[in-house]
């Protein structure tokens, strides 16, 4: 398969977000245009006079992911209508980080989800603002150390918020959106690339939220990025599913397998090195509640317009 995100980037060793970029570029192919909001994947991929992007790429502001994708899709449609470019399918993809897409840019992405334009927005989530030295965002997990939330002798747990549940928020709040999914670039194999292809083929605005282990921000050896991504799925802490026209399809059903204890996932990361037994137990209880007690396990705690395929 041809590469459209290639050498020339300067991401950290073991960077899972770089794999997210590489794989969506592979899956979407050469007739693709990309916008990237400010974030680590913008900073690392566009050092002076270098870029790994083979397909056309445009930088947009931190919270501008949704608006830039709408503008790009609308511009292409206008050019085709006026006969300036041939009528053909051109994929429009925006990638935004958890700060740019899940926090600051959420309003713009919500607006994009209410349009009729064909586009895919990918939220690459390394659970911090990584390009400005690992600050906490609303996607940072409970208890994690960041530069904004260091542990201390007076207060051990500084980040006391549970992670924002982004993908269901988009799916439930935007019933016209035909496809929302969560994914991990390394597990299960090919799952993420298949989801990119589905999102681009279903029509209209779509969204994929990826879980991206980050050696620098999560404080682990770069060789373990793949292992941590897999553990995030197998512990159930990051549910893996698609929501296709309102129907939830689990692509790794943590209800049907023996879930790995979350401790095995958390203990491998330096950002949780201050955890004591009660902290591990608290996180495990929240994950168990999500899978055992929620109306739609791992997706939504309350019943809405979604249903589960039996």
């Amino acid at each position: 398969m041809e590469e459209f995100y290639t050498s020339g980037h300067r991401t950290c060793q073991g960077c899972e977000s770089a794999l997210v970029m590489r794989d969506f570029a592979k899956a979407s192919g050469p007739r693709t245009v990309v916008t990237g909001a400010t974030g680590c994947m913008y900073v690392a991929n566009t050092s002076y006079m270098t870029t790994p992007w083979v397909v056309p790429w445009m930088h947009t502001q931190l919270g501008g992911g949704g608006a830039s994708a709408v503008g790009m899709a609308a511009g292409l449609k206008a050019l085709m209508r006026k006969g300036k470019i041939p009528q053909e399918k051109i994929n429009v993809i925006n990638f935004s980080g958890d700060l740019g897409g899940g926090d600051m840019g959420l309003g713009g992405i919500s607006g994009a989800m209410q349009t009729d334009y064909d586009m895919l927005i990918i939220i690459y989530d390394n659970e911090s603002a990584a390009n400005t030295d690992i600050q906490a965002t609303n996607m940072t997990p409970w208890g994690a150390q960041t530069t904004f939330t260091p542990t201390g002798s007076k207060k051990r747990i500084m980040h006391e918020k549970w992670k924002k549940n982004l993908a269901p928020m988009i799916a439930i709040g935007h019933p016209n959106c035909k496809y929302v999914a969560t994914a991990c670039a390394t597990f299960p194999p090919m799952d993420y690339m298949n989801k990119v292809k589905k999102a681009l083929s279903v029509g209209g605005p779509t969204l994929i939220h990826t879980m991206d282990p980050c050696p620098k921000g999560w404080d682990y050896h770069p060789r373990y990025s793949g292992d941590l991504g897999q553990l995030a799925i197998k512990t159930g802490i990051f549910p893996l599913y698609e929501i296709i026209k309102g129907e939830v399809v689990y692509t790794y059903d943590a209800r049907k397998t023996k879930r790995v204890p979350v401790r095995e996932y958390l203990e491998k990361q330096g950002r949780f090195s201050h955890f004591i037994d009660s902290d591990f137990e608290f996180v495990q209880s929240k994950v168990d509640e999500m899978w055992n007690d929620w109306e739609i396990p791992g997706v939504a705690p309350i019943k809405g317009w979604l249903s589960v395929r039996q």
Side-chain angles (χ1 to χ4, degrees), residues 58-206:
M58 182 190 82
H59 168 234
T60 189
Q61 296 179 348
L62 182 55
S68 68
V70 170
M72 194 171 277
L76 288 169
K77 189 174 182 180
L79 289 171
M80 290 179 195
R81 186 180 67 245
K82 294 177 180 178
K84 302 287 187 183
I85 58 176
Q87 290 280 349
E88 63 172 321
K89 179 172 175 55
I90 298 178
N91 300 311
V92 174
I93 300 177
N94 166 258
F95 63 84
S96 298
D98 47 294
L99 176 62
D103 282 351
M104 292 179 66
L106 190 55
I109 290 172
S110 174
M113 292 295 117
Q114 290 296 88
T115 70
D116 294 325
Y117 294 115
D118 295 343
M119 72 185 86
L120 167 61
I121 292 176
I122 295 174
I123 306 294
Y124 67 97
D125 179 11
N126 53 25
E127 302 187 324
S128 68
N131 68 311
T132 48
D133 205 22
I134 321 297
Q135 288 91 15
T137 74
N138 280 314
M139 309 284 272
T140 299
W142 183 88
Q145 291 189 72
T146 69
T147 50
F148 278 2
T149 57
T151 187
S153 57
K154 299 278 186 189
K155 189 168 183 179
R156 189 169 41 78
I157 300 295
M158 285 294 289
H159 185 65
E160 297 178 319
K161 297 184 180 68
W162 199 252
K163 178 172 176 151
K164 185 185 289 184
N165 202 0
L166 178 70
M169 187 190 309
I170 295 296
I172 294 169
H174 306 83
N176 299 317
C177 178
K178 298 174 186 171
Y179 188 86
V180 173
T182 60
C184 174
T186 52
F187 184 81
M190 300 303 294
D191 179 70
Y192 168 57
M193 292 178 70
N194 288 334
K195 287 173 176 173
V196 170
K197 284 182 174 291
K198 280 187 189 178
L200 292 172
S201 64
V202 74
T206 54

Side-chain angles (χ1 to χ4, degrees), residues 1 28 50 53 59 63 80 86 103 112 133-134 140 151 165 171 179 183 192 197 210 218 257 262 290-291 296 299 303:
M1 191 177 285
S28 59
T50 66
W53 292 107
H59 168 234
M80 290 179 195
D103 282 351
D133 205 22
I134 321 297
T140 299
T151 187
N165 202 0
Y179 188 86
Y192 168 57
K197 284 182 174 291
T210 65
W218 298 14
T257 58
V262 295
M290 182 169 69
W291 284 102
I296 301 179
V299 181
K303 195 167 187 175

